[in-house]
Every structure is written in structure tokens, then in C-alpha cells.
Amino acid sequence: MMQGTEAGKFALAEVETRLADLARSVDPHKAAERARFMKVTMPLLGLTVPQQRQCLKKKYSFSKLSFAEQVPIWGYVWNHATTHEAKVQAALYVEKPGERYDPVWLWQELEPWVMSVNCWDQSDCLSRIYSQLLEEAPEHVVPILKRWNESDNPWERRQSLVALLFYSRFRNVFPDEDLVFSLIRARLEDEDYYVQKGLGWALREAYHVWPQRMLAFLDEVVGVLAPAAWQAATEKLDPSVKQRLKINRKVVRGR
């Protein structure tokens, strides 16, 4: 059996060949539209999520290996992929292990993946996985989220917010309430659009868990929330509540 980098290179070639073959039937105009929507900074084939899941479901030559053996191989694919869909294949595999695993080990394997994120879709793929690991190994994940909250890398800052509650309905155990609001507060004036969008999503999900505190927090910061955060945070609120906040926001902002 091939080991290390050699196995990763073989897997990457197999994954990208299969994806490219599948993408031959994709309308290039639709692929271009999808790329613009994703704001991807690498080639995108235009495959839908169901197509990508089906591609993974067909199994690869290395799929017979155990989860523990495959994770490093998929890590190589994630870090060296030349297309967006190849990175997503790695995330789709890891998000559903199908067998028992050590969450501390898996977190250590996957934590570095954030460094090669280059669009919000890839970031969200990781958020889904990181949220589960936060639930299973909080003593290892929380310190990293705190560090990412102050990172120079905007995708790490975004993870420090979105990974807290992605999504709240999927969580069996919620992170510490004070932790959630402190990390959100620390990024209120972040200049990155996708961090602000993530901040809004974190507030939206926090509303499902701690509605009174979230609304009190919104009342406090309604005038300083960036447009992207405001839109995401309030999209699921009762129209009357949103209208009240909107009026307060205009008053505070002098409009």
C-alpha cells in the first residue's frame, strides 16, 4: 500500500480525473455563474452538490481503507486540489466518518485545513465539521477558535464565529453562551465582508438558542452592525421585531 505523499498524489489524480469527466456535461455558462456566486479564486467545474455527493458515493480505489487511513489522504487532496470540487470531495468525506473516531485526533488533522480556504463555500464545509468537533472536544477546539478570532487570516476569523453554531438545529450540545457572545463582540468592527456575514449568521443561530440575550445584544449594537451582519442576523426575526430594530438602527446611525 502506498504511503504518505505518494498515496495523496495518486488519490488527487483519481479524484480530479473523475470530477473532470463528470463535468464534461456541465454548461460552461452555468459553471461561470456558479463561480461568480461562490467568489472562488480557483477553477470551478460547475458540479452541483448532489452531483458531488454522488461522485463520492461511487467510491474511489482507496475507499476500502479505514477512516483513519483515509483522512491524511483526503488532507493531501484538500491542500493540493486544483479545482474547487476536489476540495469539496475531501470535506464531504470527512463530514460523515461512518465509523468511530477519536475527535481529538480528527481535530488535529483537520485544524490546518482552514489555511487553504479560498471561498465561503469551502469555509462553510469546514464549519459543519468544526462545529461537530467543538461539541465533541471543546477543550481542544475552544482555544483555537479564540486564537482564530484575532487572526490576520479572515477565513480563520470567520471560522471563530460560524463554527460556533453551524447550524444550531444540528447541535446536541451548545458552546458556552458567554464564549459565543464574546467572540461575536470582538469582531463587530471587522472590515472583511465574509467575516461580517459570518458574524450575522452566528447571531442568527444564537437567536434559536438564546433568543432573549440575542435580542438584547442586537439592541445594544444595532447601530454598529455592518450591513452584511445586519442582514444575516435579522433575516429570520419576526417582522415586527425586525421593524423595531430597523427604526432604532436608523435613529442611532443618524438616518
Side-chain angles (χ1 to χ4, degrees), residues 17-234:
T17 297
R18 178 181 296 182
L19 290 168
D21 288 343
L22 184 60
R24 293 183 190 279
S25 61
V26 174
D27 183 334
H29 296 293
K30 290 185 177 180
E33 289 177 3
R34 190 171 178 81
R36 286 192 292 272
F37 174 68
M38 295 287 189
K39 301 294 191 295
V40 195
T41 59
M42 66 190 303
L44 181 142
L45 300 172
L47 297 172
T48 65
V49 173
Q51 286 177 311
Q52 293 175 68
R53 290 190 182 279
Q54 188 62 33
C55 193
L56 182 64
K57 189 176 181 180
K58 289 182 179 179
K59 307 293 185 181
Y60 292 98
S61 63
F62 54 93
S63 296
K64 62 183 180 294
L65 299 175
S66 69
F67 181 71
E69 291 173 311
Q70 285 195 62
V71 168
I73 293 174
W74 282 110
Y76 184 94
V77 172
W78 173 272
N79 287 311
H80 296 85
T82 62
T83 65
H84 170 72
E85 283 84 352
K87 291 177 80 71
V88 173
Q89 286 282 284
L92 290 178
Y93 172 76
V94 176
E95 76 176 27
K96 293 184 177 180
E99 58 185 79
R100 294 178 64 85
Y101 60 90
D102 176 1
V104 175
W105 162 79
L106 187 57
W107 169 246
Q108 292 170 343
E109 289 286 324
L110 301 185
E111 179 210 329
W113 285 26
V114 71
M115 292 187 291
S116 65
V117 166
N118 60 55
C119 74
W120 61 262
D121 186 52
Q122 294 169 19
S123 182
D124 286 358
C125 284
L126 289 186
S127 294
R128 183 182 300 276
I129 302 165
Y130 287 167
S131 288
Q132 181 63 36
L133 293 173
L134 172 60
E135 193 173 305
E136 297 171 339
E139 68 281 8
H140 292 272
V141 180
V142 168
I144 303 303
L145 294 184
K146 289 180 176 179
R147 189 186 77 200
W148 285 351
N149 193 251
E150 301 178 352
S151 172
D152 290 335
N153 182 340
W155 297 116
E156 291 184 346
R157 299 200 304 275
R158 179 182 167 93
Q159 283 297 340
S160 76
L161 304 172
V162 181
L164 293 168
L165 294 163
F166 188 98
Y167 284 97
S168 59
R169 66 180 182 274
F170 296 148
R171 306 276 60 87
N172 294 313
V173 179
F174 300 116
D176 178 75
E177 179 180 351
D178 289 336
L179 170 70
V180 171
F181 284 95
S182 67
L183 293 180
I184 291 173
R185 184 181 295 277
R187 298 265 50 94
L188 282 174
E189 298 183 20
D190 200 293
E191 296 182 356
D192 186 87
Y193 172 83
Y194 291 107
V195 174
Q196 286 293 345
K197 196 72 172 180
L199 187 152
W201 287 350
L203 282 172
R204 181 193 64 195
E205 294 305 309
Y207 176 73
H208 298 310
V209 186
W210 308 287
Q212 292 184 337
R213 180 161 183 179
M214 188 278 206
L215 290 178
F217 185 83
L218 274 186
D219 277 325
E220 177 188 348
V221 303
V222 69
V224 299
L225 276 184
W230 162 260
Q231 181 183 31
T234 61

Side-chain angles (χ1 to χ4, degrees), residues 8-23:
K9 287 181 177 179
F10 181 86
L12 177 60
E14 182 179 357
V15 170
E16 294 202 318
T17 297
R18 178 181 296 182
L19 290 168
D21 288 343
L22 184 60

